[in-house]
Amino acid sequence: MKRSGPLLTLLAGLLLGLFMLSLNATTGEKPTSATVQPSASGKPSPGTKASPGTAPAQPSAPTSPSPARTAVPEGVYTGRTDDDSSAVAITVRDDKAIAYVCDGRNVESWLQGDVEDDGSLRLTGKGGASLDAGVKGARQIRGTAHVGSGGYAFTIARTAKSSGLYRANGNVAGARIEGGWIVLPDGEQVGILKRDGKPSPAPEIDPQTGAVTVDGQRLTARPVTP
């Protein structure tokens, strides 16, 4: 009689081993604890920290108020230079200004420009002429005019309607006439009349009408505004 016990036992062990291998391949192994990934340095990386909350917005800096504008009252300002050698007139309107500097003989200059936000005047004219001035008090303008090689400091006041700045242009006896007048508050008139560019003292005008007679012909001098 043959012995089959050991053979059957071996066969049963093989079958059991194959069954266990098949079961592991199907289900796989589950780790029993969390795996900590090492960092590049070989040390465990710390856990991720919660991001902090959004910082409160910082209040914006207060806006500085714009500087107050120093207004130059509109009107006509007339007067004489500090050395009494010439007269100056400035007409201000709509933040623009026109000025006339005249000695009544042969020196004159027309200048113009804007009234700056700080109330200053920086006017320019032909031949490099310039005038820099600013308000002084409520009714005066103080400054210096540079005409030719001369500098003329002045303080002039706002005038009444009869005083002011006048100008006339026309043709008389074939000559080109250009005249400028400053009528001062005391009635004095300072002006130059050019005939084809040649200056001479200007004849008087009627401040009420602007009428003036040049070489027997009547012209009208009109108030000057910017």
Side-chain angles (χ1 to χ4, degrees):
M1 183 176 180
K2 298 180 179 179
R3 296 180 181 179
S4 58
L7 182 60
L8 292 175
T9 301
L10 180 59
L11 180 60
L14 290 173
L15 291 175
L16 180 59
L18 291 173
F19 175 76
M20 293 302 293
L21 290 174
S22 176
L23 181 61
N24 289 338
T26 302
T27 61
E29 293 183 357
K30 295 182 179 179
T32 59
S33 62
T35 303
V36 178
Q37 297 294 332
S39 65
S41 62
K43 297 181 180 179
S45 300
T48 304
K49 295 182 179 179
S51 60
T54 304
Q58 295 296 324
S60 58
T63 303
S64 300
S66 300
R69 179 182 175 85
T70 305
V72 180
E74 294 186 349
V76 183
Y77 299 76
T78 62
R80 298 194 67 87
T81 58
D82 291 356
D83 62 6
D84 202 35
S85 67
S86 305
V88 180
I90 300 176
T91 300
V92 177
R93 182 177 180 183
D94 295 334
D95 293 333
K96 295 187 179 300
I98 290 180
Y100 184 51
V101 181
C102 179
D103 71 351
R105 296 181 300 277
N106 52 24
V107 175
E108 69 167 357
S109 181
W110 290 93
L111 310 99
Q112 61 182 349
D114 297 329
V115 179
E116 304 295 334
D117 288 342
D118 61 358
S120 62
L121 306 176
R122 295 177 177 85
L123 313 183
T124 57
K126 293 181 179 180
S130 64
L131 184 150
D132 295 300
V135 292
K136 180 182 178 182
R139 297 180 58 88
Q140 291 185 322
I141 293 178
R142 171 72 180 169
T144 302
H146 298 276
V147 180
S149 59
Y152 304 88
F154 62 85
T155 300
I156 57 178
R158 194 176 179 189
T159 66
K161 186 176 181 180
S162 58
S163 302
L165 177 57
Y166 298 83
R167 193 171 192 174
N169 295 300
N171 289 284
V172 175
R176 177 65 179 169
I177 301 298
E178 297 174 284
W181 291 263
I182 298 172
V183 179
L184 298 170
D186 61 1
E188 179 187 3
Q189 297 186 17
V190 181
I192 287 179
L193 187 76
K194 289 183 177 179
R195 295 174 175 83
D196 290 334
K198 295 180 180 180
S200 62
E204 288 194 1
I205 64 172
D206 181 349
Q208 300 299 322
T209 63
V212 57
T213 301
V214 178
D215 298 339
Q217 183 171 331
R218 182 169 175 170
L219 298 178
T220 300
R222 304 187 183 280
V224 177
T225 57

